[in-house]
Amino acid sequence: MPNIMIRAPEGVFDAEARGKLARAATAVARIVEQGGDDPRQAALTWVTFDEVKAGHVFAGGEDPLEQLIPVVVFFHYPAGVLDDAARAEAARLFQEVISEAR
């Protein structure tokens, strides 16, 4: 079952947004892995938020937060579960749910 880590600058997502994003990320995993609706299966998908302290994020040596919010998603899934098309769909769906959560 997948483990999903979402790394973003501290304070970008409040508690409500983190909950919404965790549920959406779990749904993305279920879609791309073609999982069923069994809640026991969803319980095996772990989502962790890693908040990077202010002043610890740089792009080109500068703080990018005035222009963009860098959010990185690490999506670890069992070997052989996703093909190239499913990985591309996961990337598209994660981009979508992160934009909606913000």
Side-chain angles (χ1 to χ4, degrees), residues 20-81:
K20 179 180 176 180
L21 187 49
R23 288 184 294 279
T26 300
V28 167
R30 187 179 332 190
I31 290 167
V32 299
E33 290 189 323
Q34 300 179 1
D37 291 330
D38 188 336
R40 294 174 295 179
Q41 187 176 11
L44 296 174
T45 299
W46 288 62
V47 178
T48 304
F49 288 87
D50 180 24
E51 292 189 314
V52 180
K53 291 184 180 196
H56 290 207
V57 178
F58 296 89
E62 302 295 327
D63 184 342
L65 297 182
E66 294 292 322
Q67 299 174 336
L68 60 94
I69 300 171
V71 177
V72 179
V73 176
F74 298 94
F75 181 37
H76 302 279
Y77 47 86
V81 172

